[in-house]
């Protein structure tokens, strides 16, 4: 529990805020986590779409619509190429790398 008798450490709060991934990056990370549940399965558009839908709802569901829309747009623009004969595990690795680049 926080010590309410002391003023908050503003520098620490700002550091934590700056180090947190953006909402768009969080969507990509959660999408990757969903795909990692069956890493050996082949990647498909259906699996990717379902994982992304769940991630968007989990990460952005309580945010204002304008923030959600912007974050979805950023995540979508950062999506790596997931086409071809890859597994969901490989797709998850690519999503995590894209999330890191997105910040």
């Amino acid at each position: 529990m926080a010590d309410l008798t002391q003023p908050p450490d503003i520098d620490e709060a700002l550091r934590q805020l700056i180090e947190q991934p953006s909402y768009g990056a969080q969507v990509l990370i959660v999408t990757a986590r969903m795909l990692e549940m069956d890493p050996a399965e082949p990647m498909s558009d259906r699996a990717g779409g379902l994982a992304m839908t769940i991630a968007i709802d989990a990460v952005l569901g309580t945010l204002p619509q304008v923030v959600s829309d912007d974050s979805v747009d950023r995540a979508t623009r950062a999506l790596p190429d997931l086409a071809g004969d890859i597994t969901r595990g490989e797709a998850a690795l690519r999503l995590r790398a894209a999330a890191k680049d997105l910040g």
Side-chain angles (χ1 to χ4, degrees), residues 12-69:
E12 177 62 21
L14 287 173
R15 184 190 62 75
Q16 288 179 8
L17 181 64
I18 290 169
E19 290 178 357
Q20 186 176 28
S22 69
Y23 289 126
Q26 289 179 43
V27 167
L28 296 178
I29 292 166
V30 173
T31 301
R33 287 181 181 164
M34 297 303 300
L35 294 172
E36 288 169 340
M37 293 176 137
D38 292 314
E41 291 295 314
M43 183 59 188
S44 67
D45 289 341
R46 184 171 186 267
L50 181 59
M52 185 86 150
T53 299
I54 291 168
I56 288 168
D57 186 51
V59 174
L60 307 174
T62 60
L63 297 174
Q65 191 65 46
V66 67
V67 175
S68 178
D69 290 346

Side-chain angles (χ1 to χ4, degrees), residues 63-101:
L63 297 174
Q65 191 65 46
V66 67
V67 175
S68 178
D69 290 346
D70 181 63
S71 299
V72 169
D73 183 54
R74 289 173 187 260
T76 302
R77 283 183 288 152
L79 278 173
D81 180 16
L82 301 178
D85 189 23
I86 64 171
T87 64
R88 293 179 190 180
E90 174 63 27
L93 290 173
R94 293 179 187 183
L95 286 165
R96 287 183 183 280
K100 186 176 181 181
D101 290 342

